[in-house]
Amino acid sequence: MTCFPDFPFPDDFPNFMHNSKLQEYITAFAKEKNLLRYIQLKTLVSSVNKRPDFSVTGQWDVITEKDGKKESAVFDAVMICSGHHVYPNLPKESFQGLQLFKGKCFHSWDYKEPGIFKGKRVLVIGLGNSGCDIASELSHTAEQVIVSSRSGSWVMSRVWHGGYPWDMMFITRFETFLNNNLPTVISDWWYVKQMNARFKHENYGLMPLNGTLRKEPVFNDELPARILCGTVTVKPNVKEFTETSAIFEDGTVFEAIDCVIFATGYSYAYPFLDDSIIKSRDNEVTLFKGIFPPSLEKPTMAVIGLVQSLGAVIPTTDLQSRWAVRVIKGTCTLPSVKDMMNDIDEKMGKKLKWFGKSNTIQTDYIVYMDELASLIGAKPNIPWLFLTDPKLALEVYFGPCSSYQFRLVGPGKWPGARNAILTQWDRTLKPTTTRIVGSPLKPCLFCSWFRPVLISVLSIAAFLVLF
């Protein structure tokens, strides 16, 4: 909706966003303003090219296609919001002998339902969210399910300490502060300990090869139980396929396979755009703050959603859009090309250290959100909050880093943000307390951070004593 500067947002817009009438509301506004063609959803973008006078106007020629008819239009700015789960990645060439395999073979993108696999022997390649979900579901109907993983994964439960949601307990400002400021040895130890809090990954064949990398974990509550019951088996990477079987790197063989499902992720590309505009270096996307191509003469193109973090996607893309629109309008300015490239290189160095070579769009959620919020003046001032509103400050710093925090101040400030933060646990617990057996218990913020603080203090004290 950032395309419509005069869009009449309702006073309760954050709540209104969940209303089924939202599309109807937007469409009515678009009709009134003669903007309906800008929100048509099933239009293919064939090409986006700079206009001859781009260095002066920053405008783009955009060719779209719908129902076989092409249309050309001139736009002052373009926001690319296709994300990074666009094209299914099916690396058949990486598996020797796969061309000989006589069973079915397809990407997880084509998986629809488990019924047709009843009594089948299925190999799932990939231990990401899709692979784990598919394997867990198929284990109830298929004869046998084996998951092949090249490097392993941390498999986390959505239900965390005390039965509270994982992200609300784990993605906090204080947790981020500890992870980013403790000595590496202590930080890595604490990270692995948290990942193994539910079960020992080594005992289930799931342990990542490099466990200290902050690789995005998999969220699946059922997989460990299915492995424990024997209905799912975890194996290393496939060394070779035959006509009917798969030979793994440990020498074991899975015979009489009916189907191979590749849960091998997705790739992203912009076929409608000249390659020189959005450049990649060895799987590294060169975008300033993950949004703006640094070499453009005019900052009138923004890429939204080409980042990956443990935080929610919608608040991330919302904050990206809020900043991008201000840059496009000229109310915020970008630094020089040299400074932008230096920033990109610095950030990439940190990403490679924390997340590894294959996860260069991964980012630290809170650090990234604060960085974007600072650019538009929407980052909450924590020290000032502790002085002026201690109750809110405790929730903001030690509680969940919810999107409301970036509506407390600055452009887009929402008067209801404070109350939304203070009551977020009430709304979280309400759907689960359908049988009243007492007052719903909110988590103790002190208890959630006391243990890591105590461990950190003791570790630092021991380090100082020894050295």
Side-chain angles (χ1 to χ4, degrees):
M1 293 315 302
T2 49
C3 297
F4 306 149
D6 57 342
F7 182 77
F9 289 96
D11 292 336
D12 61 340
F13 185 71
N15 295 324
F16 184 77
M17 281 290 289
H18 301 287
N19 194 311
S20 61
K21 296 290 185 180
L22 179 60
Q23 182 63 47
E24 180 181 325
Y25 183 77
I26 295 173
T27 303
F29 170 77
K31 285 181 177 179
E32 179 185 341
K33 300 292 185 178
N34 196 28
L35 292 169
L36 190 58
R37 69 191 183 99
Y38 293 103
I39 63 168
Q40 292 175 341
L41 302 179
K42 297 182 179 180
T43 300
L44 173 69
V45 177
S46 302
S47 66
V48 177
N49 295 298
K50 296 178 182 178
R51 287 184 57 77
D53 58 352
F54 179 83
S55 60
V56 177
T57 64
Q59 292 181 326
W60 301 85
D61 282 320
V62 179
I63 298 177
T64 58
E65 183 177 344
K66 186 176 183 181
D67 300 329
K69 297 180 180 180
K70 290 190 175 182
E71 181 181 349
S72 179
V74 176
F75 287 86
D76 295 320
V78 174
M79 297 176 75
I80 303 173
C81 307
S82 52
H84 53 89
H85 293 115
V86 185
Y87 302 103
N89 178 37
L90 192 58
K92 292 185 177 182
E93 67 284 351
S94 300
F95 295 92
Q96 183 180 343
L98 185 60
Q99 70 277 9
L100 303 174
F101 180 66
K102 293 185 176 180
K104 293 183 178 179
C105 177
F106 59 89
H107 193 272
S108 58
W109 186 81
D110 295 305
Y111 175 86
K112 303 303 178 185
E113 53 91 20
I116 61 175
F117 295 93
K118 185 175 182 179
K120 303 294 184 182
R121 295 167 63 81
V122 183
L123 172 62
V124 178
I125 296 180
L127 197 61
N129 284 294
S130 296
C132 290
D133 287 346
I134 290 172
S136 298
E137 186 171 70
L138 288 181
S139 67
H140 296 278
T141 56
E143 177 186 322
Q144 187 173 2
V145 178
I146 286 184
V147 179
S148 169
S149 174
R150 179 179 57 186
S151 58
S153 292
W154 295 117
V155 179
M156 309 303 295
S157 172
R158 296 175 180 85
V159 182
W160 201 236
H161 297 309
Y164 300 108
W166 180 89
D167 56 337
M168 294 185 75
M169 297 294 292
F170 191 84
I171 306 177
T172 69
R173 292 182 177 277
F174 184 72
E175 188 81 30
T176 298
F177 171 80
L178 289 181
N179 290 335
N180 293 342
N181 291 279
L182 286 175
T184 302
V185 174
I186 298 174
S187 177
D188 288 348
W189 170 81
W190 178 243
Y191 177 76
V192 173
K193 183 175 177 62
Q194 287 178 305
M195 295 297 104
N196 272 325
R198 183 182 173 203
F199 65 94
K200 295 293 183 183
H201 283 67
E202 299 95 320
N203 298 345
Y204 288 72
L206 299 170
M207 180 73 177
L209 292 180
N210 191 337
T212 58
L213 283 180
R214 270 50 169 183
K215 182 180 176 183
E216 183 183 18
V218 171
F219 291 93
N220 190 295
D221 296 275
E222 192 178 11
L223 183 64
R226 305 313 296 169
I227 295 174
L228 200 60
C229 294
T231 54
V232 173
T233 304
V234 181
K235 289 288 184 178
N237 199 33
V238 175
K239 179 181 178 181
E240 182 183 358
F241 280 97
T242 68
E243 291 184 352
T244 59
S245 63
I247 303 171
F248 301 102
E249 290 180 346
D250 62 359
T252 57
V253 181
F254 185 24
E255 301 278 4
I257 302 174
D258 294 296
C259 181
V260 178
I261 302 175
F262 284 86
T264 45
Y266 296 80
S267 59
Y268 51 86
Y270 307 108
F272 50 83
L273 200 62
D274 188 277
D275 290 339
S276 64
I277 296 176
I278 300 178
K279 297 179 180 179
S280 294
R281 308 173 303 183
D282 300 326
N283 196 41
E284 301 174 6
V285 180
T286 52
L287 294 172
F288 182 58
K289 306 302 182 187
I291 301 173
F292 285 101
S295 59
L296 285 179
E297 303 96 310
K298 295 286 185 180
T300 56
M301 173 171 284
V303 180
I304 305 299
L306 192 59
V307 295
Q308 185 171 315
S309 71
L310 290 182
V313 173
I314 299 301
T316 304
T317 53
D318 172 67
L319 204 47
Q320 285 183 322
S321 301
R322 290 166 66 187
W323 177 54
V325 168
R326 283 165 176 76
V327 171
I328 291 170
K329 290 173 62 178
T331 54
C332 288
T333 58
L334 298 181
S336 67
V337 174
K338 180 182 178 180
D339 288 342
M340 285 192 283
M341 289 305 302
N342 287 339
D343 183 82
I344 291 170
D345 291 338
E346 180 186 350
K347 296 292 193 306
M348 190 56 63
K350 292 180 180 179
K351 288 180 180 181
L352 292 174
K353 177 184 176 182
W354 280 81
F355 307 115
K357 185 70 175 177
S358 62
N359 292 277
T360 55
I361 62 172
Q362 188 84 20
T363 190
D364 186 312
Y365 177 69
I366 294 179
V367 172
Y368 182 65
M369 294 290 278
D370 277 351
E371 193 170 11
L372 294 181
S374 296
L375 295 170
I376 63 172
K379 178 185 175 182
N381 187 328
I382 307 299
W384 180 248
L385 277 181
F386 271 107
L387 291 174
T388 59
D389 196 341
K391 183 178 181 181
L392 177 62
L394 286 171
E395 287 287 345
V396 168
Y397 192 67
F398 296 109
C401 185
S402 52
S403 58
Y404 307 118
Q405 293 192 12
F406 305 102
R407 295 288 178 177
L408 287 169
V409 296
K413 176 182 177 180
W414 179 45
R418 181 183 185 276
N419 183 63
I421 292 171
L422 295 178
T423 58
Q424 57 192 345
W425 281 106
D426 297 325
R427 295 191 302 282
T428 299
L429 295 174
K430 187 174 178 59
T432 63
T433 53
T434 53
R435 174 175 171 260
I436 307 301
V437 291
S439 301
L441 298 176
K442 302 176 186 179
C444 174
L445 295 179
F446 176 80
C447 297
S448 66
W449 62 261
F450 176 75
R451 184 169 55 176
V453 169
L454 179 61
I455 291 173
S456 302
V457 170
L458 291 176
S459 300
I460 294 172
F463 179 83
L464 293 175
V465 169
L466 292 174
F467 297 96

